[in-house]
Structure formats: structure tokens, C-alpha cells
Amino acid sequence: YPSSSNIFTKCFCCPTTMNACLFTSYSRYFFFLSFIMLQHALVRGFSSAFPLGRSCSIARRCSITRWLSGSGSEGNGGQGSEAPATTENELDVYINESNRRDQVFSAMSEDGSVKITVCTARNLINDLMIMHTMTAVPADALGRTVVCALLMSNGMQAEQTCQITMNSDGPIRGIVSICNGEGKVRGYVGSPMLGDVELSEAVGRGLVQIVKNHPDWPNPYNGITAIRYGDIDRDIGAYLAESEQRSCALAAATSISGILCKAAGGYLIEQLPDAAPETLAKVEQNLATLVEKDGGDTLPTNLLLNGVTPLEIAQIVLDGLGMKPLQQIEPQFQCKCSSKRLVRALRLLPRDEVDEIIETQEKIEARCEFCGQTYELGPEEIRKELDNATGDPSLDEDFKEE
């Protein structure tokens, strides 16, 4: 638009200026009124096609949800229409430029026979490294385990949990990671300050134990397989194939330089029922392309380092099969430790043993393995908590946190 200093300075019907001519003054008024009304109509008419500002992501997300649920088109008076194909604009909500934020993205092939979940968690692993003061090898081991927990818990209910435990005899002294359906994850290693050794040597041999639980289940689901490789992801992939009989491809890795995690992530590709042989052959071909593009032995860290996002990895794997986005979440560290949990643990001990501990140590101190938080309780506080406690500490329903 021209600047206000040179627009409408001369009248188009007489030698006077615009301000001096009554006719042009009214004409200018009606012109701008018409312009505002036209602009308002255009915005209302095209707002669904070109959403702007903060409403953009919401509009696209709603559009994708309606498409995946098979509902009718919006604003057509109830008239049915064909489900729209995924467009570039609809995928904008899943864009994660240069993997700046942690993200777990899942999608499905158009025929519903293949599901892929892709994760990038560099920021989360850096936080864990600082929290536990970890060196490179323990950070790599915990990072891979955390990524696998995020991938395996994707699609679960919010309150459902997946726990991965590597019970190994290596110098790392075991690895634990727990994640729920919302991507809230925590974990620790037995030896966070380990020297420069190979990951497989640090892990050693032992058992992979997977525990899946839900507050409404009478008993948790447990599965155990042997640790054969020591590189975490292949051992967990073998567990999925042997214990859960799931046909899938799993990869998880990190890229750590000194005390900095430069990349961390992985993917889980699952074969769903009624998958056609042609579809599986196409997935294998696309996987070969993905491996070639990565060009390293710690797939997919090179891709993540080069700015390839989870959305783009999913597009590579599902190339030629159509891609239906399912969801995205931002994984976050969450620890559930509290002083009340320490009191609950004390209530499970005989009272005379607790009194003996108080007399000999004068206080009780406990440190959370997941976050490093230390809790201290003095004798008076312990006696007060035990005397006022109600319910059965062995039952979760009787233990309510504030």
C-alpha cells in the first residue's frame, strides 16, 4: 500500500484537495467502508482454508481428527463427502524444525496395516545427564532405554505404564526406565560414572524385563527374555518378537560428545493384522533407503543430527503407502517421589524396627534413584506421621498423595 502522504491528495472531480471537496469526502468514506466490509467477508470466507495465528494449529488438528474418524465435511449442511487426503498444510502442526523440541510422532499407513512411531529426545537426555551426573556410556545406555520406553508406551492409556529393566551383570549395574501413555518418563542407571568402555561390555549379560501395568488391572503383565547383544534396542526388539510375538523393527541410539547429548531418538515400525505382502516389501525397501540416508551404525542419530524430523522419517518409511498421522506428544521427565512415599515405606516395616532405626541414627534419610532428591525425617516427625497414619500402606487405593 502507498504511504498516507501521497494517497488521495488530489481530488479526481475538481481542482481542490480531497479534504476540501465534500463529494470526494463522502466518496472516500463509503470507499473505505466498502473496503472494510469486503475484507471482513474475505476473512470469514477463507478463514477455514487459510487459518492464521494461534488458531492455525487448532484448525488443522481438528481437520485431521475429523478425517481420521471418518466424519462428514465441515460446513456443508450435513452433506456427505469423500475424506480429504493429507495435505502439506495439515502436516504443519507436526513440523519440528531442526528437532528443537522433543517429540514422539506416530502415523499409520493408509490401509491400516503398518504403524510407525518416531521419537527425538535430545533435551530429555541432556536433563537426565545433568540430573544423574552421567558420563557418556551410562548416558548412552539410559538414553536408549528411555527412547525404547517412549516408543513402546505410545498409544497406551494415559495412566498405563511401561517399565523396562535391564537386569545385567555388567559394570553399569542395571538400567531402569518407566513411561506412561502421556510420555511422562523417568529412569536411572546403577553406575552413572562409568569409564570409556563399549556399551555391550558395560551392560553385560542378564535379563530384559518388561512390566506393563494399569491401575484397573488386577495384576501387571510381565515378560522376560535374555540379554544377547548388550546394545539395548536389539535386546528389546528380540523381546518384542519372542515374548509378545510382535513383528516389528526397532532402533534407538544417541550421539553423545563429552557431557553433551547432540542427538537421541529412534523408531518402532509395527506390522498390524492383514498386512499385504506387497506392503511389507515396500516397507523393507523404504527402510533400506532410510539406512542408506543415515549412513551410520547408530541409526537414526545421523538423520537427527542433520535435522531430519520424526515426521520426515515417518514419511520415508511410509513412502508410497499413504500416511495418516495419529498423534504427537512431547516427552517430559516426571518423578513421583515425595516424603509421603518415604512414610509409606516406613509403615510397611514393624514399628519396633522403625523405633530402633530412630534411636541408632536419630533420623531417616532416603534418596530417590530417579531424580536424586534427598528426603530427611526426624524422630518427632516420623512418630507423628506413623501415629496419625490411616489405611493400609500396602494398598494403592488407601495411599492418596496431595
Side-chain angles (χ1 to χ4, degrees):
Y1 294 104
S3 63
S4 59
S5 60
N6 58 13
I7 185 171
F8 295 144
T9 56
K10 282 283 196 172
C11 179
F12 57 85
C13 67
C14 65
T16 63
T17 62
M18 289 280 290
N19 294 332
C21 179
L22 183 62
F23 172 76
T24 53
S25 297
Y26 281 109
S27 299
R28 181 175 59 179
Y29 170 77
F30 286 111
F31 171 78
F32 279 111
L33 181 62
S34 301
F35 176 77
I36 293 172
M37 294 177 63
L38 177 61
Q39 186 182 37
H40 180 68
L42 288 174
V43 171
R44 287 179 58 85
F46 293 101
S47 59
S48 59
F50 302 99
L52 303 174
R54 296 185 60 182
S55 63
C56 176
S57 298
I58 299 174
R60 288 169 182 156
R61 189 180 299 113
C62 293
S63 177
I64 293 174
T65 303
R66 286 192 298 272
W67 163 51
L68 291 177
S69 62
S71 60
S73 61
E74 179 184 6
N76 59 357
Q79 299 293 328
S81 64
E82 296 182 0
T86 306
T87 64
E88 292 297 328
N89 288 341
E90 290 174 328
L91 295 177
D92 284 353
V93 68
Y94 304 105
I95 291 177
N96 183 11
E97 186 177 357
S98 300
N99 295 309
R100 293 176 182 173
R101 58 186 175 91
D102 294 343
Q103 180 187 33
V104 180
F105 170 76
S106 60
M108 186 177 294
S109 61
E110 193 171 11
D111 61 358
S113 62
V114 176
K115 179 191 174 185
I116 179 171
T117 307
V118 192
C119 170
T120 175
R122 180 190 72 248
N123 300 323
L124 175 62
I125 304 306
N126 276 314
D127 291 342
L128 289 172
M129 290 182 67
I130 297 172
M131 195 178 302
H132 296 286
T133 319
M134 289 188 293
T135 54
V137 175
D140 184 25
L142 181 58
R144 293 177 183 227
T145 309
V146 165
V147 167
C148 289
L150 286 168
L151 294 173
M152 291 178 61
S153 62
N154 183 261
M156 292 181 174
Q157 297 179 8
E159 59 273 19
Q160 189 173 348
T161 59
C162 175
Q163 175 176 330
I164 300 176
T165 304
M166 306 293 290
N167 289 314
S168 60
D169 59 2
I172 205 167
R173 294 169 49 204
I175 315 163
V176 177
S177 180
I178 305 175
C179 185
N180 64 11
E182 294 181 327
K184 305 295 177 56
V185 64
R186 59 190 186 273
Y188 69 91
V189 294
S191 298
M193 298 291 291
L194 207 58
D196 188 13
V197 296
E198 293 293 331
L199 177 61
S200 58
E201 181 182 346
V203 174
R205 293 291 181 264
L207 297 174
V208 178
Q209 182 180 10
I210 308 295
V211 179
K212 296 180 180 179
N213 201 6
H214 190 282
D216 296 336
W217 293 357
N219 296 299
Y221 168 83
N222 289 272
I224 297 177
T225 56
I227 297 176
R228 298 190 181 93
Y229 308 102
D231 54 3
I232 313 297
D233 56 338
R234 281 200 295 171
D235 292 312
I236 295 176
Y239 161 83
L240 292 173
E242 296 176 8
S243 183
E244 297 188 10
Q245 288 80 47
R246 292 164 63 179
S247 299
C248 57
L250 173 66
T254 66
S255 176
I256 297 175
S257 177
I259 59 172
L260 177 66
C261 177
K262 299 188 295 183
Y267 60 78
L268 175 62
I269 306 170
E270 302 176 74
Q271 173 188 337
L272 302 180
D274 301 325
E278 298 81 8
T279 300
L280 301 181
K282 183 61 176 176
V283 171
E284 292 179 2
Q285 179 183 348
N286 294 340
L287 266 176
T289 302
L290 187 72
V291 173
E292 182 180 356
K293 289 185 176 182
D294 183 84
D297 56 355
T298 56
L299 190 72
T301 54
N302 284 343
L303 291 171
L304 298 175
L305 285 170
N306 292 326
V308 181
T309 65
L311 171 63
E312 293 168 337
I313 292 177
Q315 288 175 325
I316 294 173
V317 174
L318 297 180
D319 182 38
L321 301 175
M323 187 182 74
K324 297 180 179 180
L326 297 178
Q327 68 167 352
Q328 69 168 340
I329 59 176
E330 184 173 350
Q332 296 177 348
F333 175 84
Q334 183 186 64
C335 187
K336 295 186 176 181
C337 67
S338 66
S339 59
K340 290 189 175 295
R341 286 180 175 266
L342 176 56
V343 174
R344 182 187 185 187
L346 292 176
R347 291 178 60 197
L348 295 173
L349 299 176
R351 182 63 182 266
D352 56 346
E353 291 187 14
V354 177
D355 292 337
E356 183 180 353
I357 295 174
I358 295 174
E359 291 177 1
T360 57
Q361 300 184 8
E362 296 184 354
K363 66 177 180 179
I364 293 180
E365 181 178 296
R367 180 181 180 275
C368 177
E369 294 283 359
F370 290 103
C371 68
Q373 178 71 34
T374 301
Y375 295 94
E376 293 183 1
L377 295 177
E380 296 301 326
E381 186 178 2
I382 294 173
R383 293 190 181 95
K384 180 181 178 181
E385 291 285 353
L386 294 180
D387 293 339
N388 296 334
T390 59
D392 187 350
S394 64
L395 300 178
D396 289 336
E397 54 267 25
D398 287 353
F399 177 67
K400 302 297 183 182
E401 295 183 88
E402 293 181 358

